[in-house]
Amino acid sequence: MAAHKQSSFLLLSLLIISLCKSSQAAGIAIYWGQNSNEGSLAETCATGNYQYVNIAFLSTFGNGQTAVLNLAGHCNPSANTCTRLSSEIKACQGRGIKVLLSIGGGAGSYSLSSADDAKQVANYLWNTYLGGKSNSRPLGDAVLDGIDFDIELGSTQHYDELARSLNGFSQQKKVYLAAAPQCPSPDAHLDAAIKTGLFDYVWVQFYNNPGCQYSGNANNLLNSWKTWTAIQAKQVFLGLPAATAAAPSGGFIPADVLKSQVLPSIKTSPKYGGVMVWNKNFDNGYSASIKSAV
């Protein structure tokens, strides 16, 4: 009888552990929105490859500027043609995929001039794309799951205040926060924001950064990864290009190399959340070939 009880307890313990692991299963994040040839948002989500989609980019904001959503050739916000994405966003969310708006990017005009400016931008994001209300909602009535900070240009100031202000809205509806720093640590633009400890996902760009990306061997990448997993964030992701053409300055890791030489090592971190892929236009089979190993 004692042995039976012990085995039952062991089975129950294993079940609880497996449930905990499955509830925090690793996944793939993708950036979508920067090339009209990459397929629709609905098609992207229907592949079954992704658990997170960053709609990119809100490329102009802050410092008194009128915010601009730039989704390349997909639609034109000024002509109100992006509202059709509302049903696609909801379809993605219906599949359990978190859909975030990525602000910033490698080209654009954005900065935060003060703490008050950061609060104003947070209010704008909440009312225009998240759980608030506005007469102007470029993506229609769909409520996005959060905001991704892909800050690569301009001032480095006040993004910590933006994160705190956005997090404040989580009392009404959870606002997921993501960040996409470069792999040299600390990141020049996002260090203060990440140090708030408010970010759910930090997908580090291990590409276009020769000092810490894969370049024939994974040594520099793995050393940098250890540094990043010490940050205050719930989950850290390995950010990679989907093809060599996606990262002119390097960092592409062939799928077989990623699965054999990189993932087994980085997955040992309790903060490992998965892989971020840049971007859907270049992802012609890469995510599909790695997802079983992520």
Side-chain angles (χ1 to χ4, degrees):
M1 181 64 78
H4 176 72
K5 283 183 177 179
Q6 192 172 24
S7 62
S8 298
F9 178 75
L10 180 61
L11 285 171
L12 181 61
S13 299
L14 290 171
L15 178 62
I16 291 171
I17 290 170
S18 67
L19 285 171
C20 289
K21 283 189 175 180
S22 65
S23 68
Q24 297 181 8
I28 298 175
I30 191 77
Y31 279 83
W32 175 92
Q34 286 300 291
N35 194 299
S36 58
N37 296 321
E38 65 194 340
S40 72
L41 180 61
E43 290 167 342
T44 296
C45 293
T47 63
N49 291 336
Y50 315 114
Q51 284 69 47
Y52 312 89
V53 175
N54 294 311
I55 295 178
F57 290 104
L58 187 76
S59 58
T60 301
F61 62 85
N63 204 22
Q65 302 176 98
T66 299
V68 175
L69 178 68
N70 180 350
L71 297 183
H74 286 288
C75 57
N76 182 356
S78 61
N80 213 34
T81 59
C82 295
T83 54
R84 64 177 173 77
L85 292 174
S86 183
S87 60
E88 298 187 40
I89 292 166
K90 292 174 185 176
C92 294
Q93 292 169 328
R95 295 175 180 271
I97 298 168
K98 288 187 172 61
V99 184
L100 291 79
L101 175 68
S102 186
I103 65 172
S109 173
Y110 55 85
S111 65
L112 298 172
S113 59
S114 65
D116 184 62
D117 189 24
K119 290 177 182 176
Q120 289 184 38
V121 170
N123 288 337
Y124 169 80
L125 292 170
W126 170 254
N127 290 319
T128 310
Y129 295 99
L130 301 170
K133 292 184 178 180
S134 170
N135 292 328
S136 173
R137 287 182 67 96
L139 299 178
D141 64 356
V143 177
L144 297 183
D145 295 291
I147 301 295
D148 169 58
F149 290 44
D150 184 9
I151 308 303
E152 304 182 34
L153 305 171
S155 170
T156 62
Q157 303 297 308
H158 309 297
Y159 288 102
D160 52 342
E161 280 112 344
L162 180 59
R164 290 188 186 96
S165 294
L166 286 168
N167 182 66
F169 289 113
S170 287
Q171 296 175 3
Q172 300 174 59
K173 184 185 186 300
K174 170 65 178 174
V175 176
Y176 288 90
L177 295 180
Q182 310 293 314
C183 59
S185 179
D187 182 82
H189 293 86
L190 290 168
D191 185 50
I194 291 171
K195 282 180 177 175
T196 63
L198 297 174
F199 284 81
D200 299 281
Y201 319 115
V202 175
W203 16 75
V204 185
Q205 297 184 42
F206 285 92
Y207 52 93
N208 292 334
N209 287 291
C212 46
Q213 68 192 21
Y214 177 86
S215 53
N217 68 70
N219 295 341
N220 289 346
L221 182 150
L222 293 175
N223 287 333
S224 179
W225 172 262
K226 289 175 184 175
T227 299
W228 279 105
T229 54
I231 64 170
Q232 291 177 278
K234 293 180 180 69
Q235 290 184 309
V236 180
F237 290 65
L238 181 72
L240 298 174
T244 53
S249 298
F252 176 71
I253 307 178
D256 59 335
V257 176
L258 179 70
K259 291 187 282 189
S260 63
Q261 298 181 30
V262 180
L263 288 177
S265 179
I266 70 171
K267 287 171 72 172
T268 60
S269 168
K271 288 188 179 177
Y272 170 77
V275 174
M276 174 272 279
V277 175
W278 173 264
N279 64 31
K280 180 60 178 69
N281 180 55
F282 296 98
D283 191 11
N284 299 307
Y286 189 72
S287 288
S289 65
I290 67 170
K291 67 178 181 180
S292 63
V294 170

